[in-house]
Amino acid sequence: MASAFDPSAYGRSISDIYDATVEDLPTDAAVEQLHRLAGDGPVLEFGIGTGRLALPLAARGVRVAGIDGSPDMVAVLRAKPGGEHLQVAVGDFATTRVGGLFSLVALTTNTIFALPSQDAQVACFRNAAAHLRPGGRFVVEAWVPDLTAFHRGASLRLLALGQDVVVAEAARISPAEQLMATTKVRLTGEGVRLLPANHRYAWPAELDLMGRLAGMEREHRWSDWNRTPFGDDSRAHVTVYRVPPD
């Protein structure tokens, strides 16, 4: 399942319809919590994409910068009102640096799993910490792995069913390397789109250890952007890591 990592590949396949695929995500709640966690300080978003979170944050008066591996996604962002004013670097957010220090670094929508290996994910945590002011926070949103969803290493599930769109996902998993390959099949009146993606998944406790290796401690973990308590039945998490204030 492993192949050479290309941070621009995902955006090439989805950038023109990405906004339509995330319409049902809790954007308002995410923006509210990110704004609260950032306080008066600037925000850096790893995987800024088309600006779903960055543009509403900027509209609130927050200074926002971003890193994204996809020139195609950044082009969509730039074409939106306000998108031309954001500082955005195109590159691998595990290693790419931008100038300045931030009160908050955000990595949402499961994007930590887009990195191809544990080493890359550890590097991402360290890169986040290097961008943070003393006392700054790193927020990671991700799903919780559920191996029971797979039969003989494969799964097929219906994600959305509506009058105008049907979305299904086929997945194959490699537990030994914690790798998963997925292809979403999106059917609309305009035709069929195949949206492939690769994931290197990690459990919440593993991410906590990455945070500690980067010099951060876990401050919060919720099940969602509404701060619902995290528990045994949680299928996703929003976790806040913090660098020491001194």
Side-chain angles (χ1 to χ4, degrees):
M1 293 174 60
S3 59
F5 179 56
D6 179 0
S8 67
Y10 178 72
R12 283 199 300 272
S13 69
I14 199 174
S15 61
D16 62 320
I17 62 168
Y18 177 78
D19 289 346
T21 70
V22 296
E23 286 178 338
D24 295 331
L25 295 184
T27 298
D28 291 343
V31 169
E32 177 63 31
Q33 293 302 333
L34 292 172
H35 191 195
R36 181 187 302 184
L37 290 166
D40 295 329
V43 173
L44 173 63
E45 185 177 4
F46 286 176
I48 192 171
T50 64
R52 178 178 69 92
L53 301 175
L55 290 173
L57 280 171
R60 291 184 174 211
V62 178
R63 183 168 69 83
V64 182
I67 302 172
D68 201 278
S70 170
D72 301 275
M73 297 282 270
V74 174
V76 176
L77 166 64
R78 293 295 191 205
K80 295 180 179 179
E84 70 276 14
H85 301 305
L86 299 184
Q87 175 192 359
V88 180
V90 175
D92 182 351
F93 55 75
T95 55
T96 300
R97 294 292 303 274
V98 300
L101 292 177
F102 298 83
S103 63
L104 182 74
V105 175
L107 180 56
T108 70
T109 328
N110 317 308
T111 309
I112 183 66
F113 298 157
L115 296 170
S117 66
Q118 185 183 73
D119 286 346
Q121 291 167 354
V122 169
C124 176
F125 271 76
R126 287 177 171 154
N127 196 30
H131 282 95
L132 288 171
R133 298 172 174 175
R137 295 178 169 97
F138 180 37
V139 181
V140 178
E141 177 193 17
W143 41 264
V144 177
D146 180 12
L147 303 190
T148 64
F150 292 81
H151 177 66
R152 294 182 178 177
S155 74
L156 180 64
R157 59 178 181 150
L158 180 67
L159 298 181
L161 176 61
Q163 294 183 341
D164 301 319
V165 60
V166 175
V167 183
E169 180 186 73
R172 186 174 297 278
I173 198 169
S174 174
E177 298 294 333
Q178 293 178 208
L179 298 176
M180 183 170 70
T182 63
T183 296
K184 290 180 181 178
V185 183
R186 181 178 174 87
L187 298 92
T188 68
E190 297 178 353
V192 178
R193 287 286 297 270
L194 300 179
L195 305 172
N198 293 312
H199 318 261
R200 192 275 168 184
Y201 62 87
W203 277 266
E206 185 181 0
L207 297 177
D208 290 350
L209 182 56
M210 295 181 192
R212 295 185 67 181
L213 290 172
M216 297 183 285
E217 294 291 338
R218 191 179 84 199
E219 183 179 38
H220 303 290
R221 172 164 287 139
W222 308 302
S223 289
D224 53 38
W225 290 107
N226 294 314
R227 301 197 176 201
T228 302
F230 183 83
D232 292 341
D233 296 329
S234 300
R235 300 270 48 90
H237 64 99
V238 175
T239 301
V240 182
Y241 301 97
R242 194 171 190 182
V243 300
D246 297 322

